[in-house]
Amino acid sequence: MISADLKEQYYEALVAKDSEYEGLFYVGVRTTGVFCRPTCPARKPKFENCEFYETAQQALLASYRPCQRCRPLSHPNQVSDVVRILVEAVEKNPEKRWKGQDFKALSIDESTARRQFKKRFGMTFVEYARARRMGLALKNIRSGRTVIDSQLSTGYESSSGFRDAFSRIMGAAPTQVDEGHILKASWIDTRLGPMMAIADEESLYLLEFVDRRGLEREVERLRKRTKSAIVPGTTAPIQSIERELNEYFQGIRTAFDTPLFCLGTPFQKRVWDELLAIPAGETRSYQEIANALGKPTACRAVAQANGANQLAIVIPCHRVINASGELGGYGGGLTRKNWLLTHEKQGQEQDSYE
Ligand SMILES: [Zn+2]
């Protein structure tokens, strides 16, 4: 997260239209829902209506759309047609999931689009479209807007108010919502970026970084397997995990007590139990986990189960690394994995001095 000092510095740069800050930050304007580059010619918003982001992707995930005037997704002096056409196409239909044929319809070469976006904005076009889509889906969750009980009692299916961007993008509720099982979804800000938590009144079902690739499919799968409707809101397990995450990031907690609901195969559940047994500050290799399960040849299956974990940080899949000592993979990105491991190691070292 950006410090208060830096926010003031960015705001000064914004008011001064300081071109030296181009690419260093973007500003989301709460009152209009757009995000701008520092040099935007439009009237400058008040400080309290600004949210600052270091990447365009973060601004998109926070549900801002690109400003029409300063076009934060175009290079200042060199607007590529490919980029312009694609950004406009996304704005026309921001909920769309892009496929190969969509590029053909616009006579755009998919790999050119990927290359140009990556070069200019540090993300591919597909990542851009996804960030914009996810931003929309997460809008109500992020703003903490909850559904009111009278809406719930009239039934998910019959109430068109529930057919918000979240359900359109993350997958519609099954037609037979089993006894009206409802899961609630909340946005949790952490020092490693925003996370989404999904829980019912008893347990936590999902905790993931909102920029995790494949999150939409994970949520859809969860919705189908539990035959639930997922709506914005909060429950006791969500409040509990928010408090515990806060303590974890402050370095005063290493394990979590929030009740969990793990949706997986028996084998996956065994792997996740092994992960829970790795103490903070330590790591294991995929092979060591496979050995511990008595299945030394199941290394690949262990890696898959590790990747299928839907409770990031809480079930510490980040504590599993390659046998060579390299970090291996991580759904939330290797920068986060490295940060988490360093953070946990420091906590252990501090303990040993006490
Ligand atoms: Zn602007």
Side-chain angles (χ1 to χ4, degrees):
M1 277 189 278
I2 299 174
S3 72
D5 281 356
L6 203 51
K7 279 181 196 167
E8 280 176 24
Q9 191 186 330
Y10 285 167
Y11 187 70
E12 276 174 31
L14 180 70
V15 172
K17 298 179 190 162
D18 190 341
S19 60
E20 284 188 19
Y21 283 81
E22 277 292 350
L24 287 188
F25 76 86
Y26 299 89
V27 60
V29 185
R30 286 199 188 98
T31 43
T32 57
V34 303
F35 76 99
C36 293
R37 55 169 87 242
T39 54
C40 183
R43 234 188 83 199
K44 298 300 183 178
K46 289 183 183 155
F47 180 73
E48 61 265 32
N49 291 326
C50 293
E51 277 189 279
F52 295 96
Y53 300 97
E54 278 164 351
T55 66
Q57 190 175 25
Q58 286 162 2
L60 291 162
L61 282 169
S63 78
Y64 290 103
R65 63 181 190 281
C67 170
Q68 290 284 353
R69 290 197 60 188
C70 62
R71 299 180 186 273
L73 290 162
S74 308
H75 194 269
N77 308 315
Q78 211 180 342
V79 183
S80 135
D81 278 346
V82 170
V83 170
R84 186 181 49 79
I85 291 167
L86 286 173
V87 169
E88 281 168 11
V90 168
E91 285 317 302
K92 243 180 237 159
N93 185 6
E95 292 178 8
K96 178 194 184 91
R97 286 189 197 185
W98 283 72
K99 300 199 177 70
Q101 71 231 38
D102 298 320
F103 294 94
K104 280 200 195 101
L106 288 170
S107 314
I108 284 174
D109 176 50
E110 205 176 332
S111 63
T112 306
R114 186 186 306 120
R115 213 173 39 243
Q116 290 201 5
F117 267 78
K118 187 86 190 170
K119 196 172 147 206
R120 296 277 159 76
F121 320 119
M123 59 182 150
T124 66
F125 171 70
V126 170
E127 284 165 344
Y128 166 76
R130 180 181 171 277
R132 180 74 179 102
R133 199 166 67 226
M134 291 294 288
L136 273 181
L138 298 168
K139 198 173 181 180
N140 283 350
I141 292 172
R142 181 172 168 267
S143 66
R145 204 172 298 166
T146 54
V147 288
I148 47 176
D149 287 342
S150 64
Q151 282 177 302
L152 284 179
S153 61
T154 58
Y156 186 94
E157 283 307 305
S158 62
S159 169
S160 61
F162 282 154
R163 299 211 154 275
D164 61 0
F166 183 83
S167 36
R168 284 195 304 272
I169 296 165
M170 304 292 241
T175 39
Q176 291 293 328
V177 174
D178 189 19
E179 296 291 310
H181 190 235
I182 301 282
L183 291 169
K184 300 224 175 127
S186 274
W187 175 280
I188 299 178
D189 277 311
T190 78
R191 16 183 335 178
L192 290 185
M195 300 185 86
M196 180 164 74
I198 299 182
D200 61 11
E201 300 299 329
E202 278 87 46
S203 339
L204 182 68
Y205 285 64
L206 180 139
L207 181 70
E208 290 284 15
F209 289 101
V210 300
D211 60 4
R212 190 203 206 287
R213 190 186 283 175
L215 180 58
E216 289 159 288
R217 291 212 160 73
E218 263 186 63
V219 173
E220 256 181 59
R221 213 178 304 132
L222 176 63
R223 198 196 294 262
K224 277 185 192 146
R225 296 220 180 125
T226 58
K227 297 191 173 64
S228 303
I230 304 179
V231 298
T234 188
T235 64
I238 291 175
Q239 285 153 15
S240 159
I241 200 61
E242 188 163 13
R243 194 172 52 243
E244 291 186 345
L245 276 173
N246 203 359
E247 292 167 358
Y248 168 84
F249 280 107
Q250 285 176 47
I252 53 177
R253 172 183 283 279
T254 53
F256 298 86
D257 301 322
T258 300
L260 308 177
F261 186 96
C262 296
L263 200 67
T265 65
F267 178 76
Q268 285 173 332
K269 287 181 186 173
R270 285 181 62 201
V271 173
W272 298 334
D273 281 340
E274 283 300 320
L275 301 183
L276 283 166
I278 310 172
E282 293 181 25
T283 55
R284 298 283 183 275
S285 69
Y286 296 101
Q287 186 62 57
E288 283 171 318
I289 301 285
N291 293 348
L293 291 169
K295 298 197 169 198
T297 57
C299 215
R300 181 171 292 208
V302 165
Q304 274 164 359
N306 210 54
N309 172 31
Q310 299 198 310
L311 292 153
I313 301 180
V314 176
I315 295 182
C317 57
H318 58 277
R319 292 180 198 150
V320 186
I321 60 172
N322 285 345
S324 60
E326 284 161 22
L327 279 185
Y330 191 55
L334 287 182
T335 313
R336 286 197 184 111
K337 184 171 186 173
N338 193 28
W339 192 97
L340 292 168
L341 290 175
T342 309
H343 174 67
E344 292 177 354
K345 221 170 167 197
Q346 281 166 351
Q348 291 313 103
E349 278 161 13
Q350 272 161 19
D351 284 350
S352 60
Y353 287 124
E354 277 164 7

